Amino acid sequence: MPQIVEFPERPYIGIRKTITMTSFGLVGDRIAGLIGWLAERGVSPADAPFFRYDSINMPEDRLVVQAGVPVPAPVAGEGDIFADVLPAGRYVTTSHHGHPDQLMSVTSGMLKWAEEQGLTWDMTEKDGTEHWGCRLEFYQTNPMDEPDPNNWDTALQFRLA
C-alpha cells in the first residue's frame, strides 16, 4: 500500500541519457561504474542506486533518465558524472518484490491510488511529455548477491507538488 513520506534533500552523483525503452541499458549499465568511481575516491554509497525519470514521452518512446547513487555528502562530478541533490519534500512511496518488468503495473497502481487520494504530483505535461520534479526507482537488491531478478526489491518514490 502506498504511503506518504517526507524526505530531506539527498546528495547523489549521476549520469543522464535520453533513451528509449529498448535502450535502457545505456543508463542501467552505468550504475556499477558509478559505484566503482565512488570507491576509487573512498566514498561509500549512502543508499541504493536509483533511476530518476526527468521526462517521459511514451507515445514517442523517448525518456530522459538518470542513473544515480546517493552519497553521504556532496561529491564533485567529473566528465559526464555530475553531482546533484534529490529535492526535499513529500513523496508517495511503495515497494515491490519481484522482476523489474512488473514495475509498470506497480507504477500504474501507485498513480491510481494517488489520484483517488486527490494528490497532485510534482509534474507538468507539455506536448505529450511528462516532466517530473522527482520520480525515482531505488534498486535495493544487489544483483551480485541475488542474480534472480524475480527476487529483487525496488522502492518507488514520486514527489508530490
Side-chain angles (χ1 to χ4, degrees):
M1 173 66 95
Q3 58 183 350
I4 298 173
V5 176
E6 183 91 22
F7 287 108
E9 280 191 346
R10 297 170 281 173
Y12 71 97
I13 55 127
I15 58 100
R16 177 183 292 110
K17 298 281 183 196
T18 300
I19 59 169
T20 65
M21 290 302 287
T22 57
S23 65
F24 219 98
L26 294 173
V27 174
D29 293 346
R30 295 289 305 273
I31 290 175
L34 290 171
I35 293 169
W37 184 86
L38 286 171
E40 289 170 4
R41 286 150 183 79
V43 178
S44 295
D47 200 351
F50 60 84
F51 294 130
R52 180 177 182 178
Y53 294 81
D54 291 335
S55 65
I56 300 170
N57 183 321
M58 290 310 281
E60 294 182 16
D61 192 22
R62 187 178 62 250
L63 304 96
V64 177
V65 179
Q66 300 177 34
V69 179
V71 291
V75 175
E78 178 180 86
D80 67 343
I81 298 173
F82 61 85
D84 202 350
V85 295
L86 300 175
R90 294 178 338 124
Y91 288 73
V92 173
T93 70
T94 195
S95 35
H96 169 66
H97 179 80
H99 201 287
D101 287 350
Q102 300 164 342
L103 285 172
M104 283 186 78
S105 65
V106 174
T107 297
S108 294
M110 189 167 96
L111 293 171
K112 183 176 186 237
W113 178 86
E115 183 180 333
E116 291 167 354
Q117 306 303 309
L119 300 172
T120 303
W121 298 115
D122 179 11
M123 185 268 292
T124 57
E125 189 172 337
K126 183 177 180 193
D127 300 327
T129 301
E130 297 175 350
H131 300 276
W132 287 84
C134 198
R135 177 175 168 162
L136 305 164
E137 292 174 357
F138 282 87
Y139 287 84
Q140 300 172 309
T141 304
N142 182 340
M144 302 296 283
D145 296 335
E146 175 51 72
D148 182 356
N150 293 301
N151 291 324
W152 290 1
D153 291 311
T154 309
L156 304 180
Q157 299 178 1
F158 295 8
R159 189 168 186 251
L160 294 168

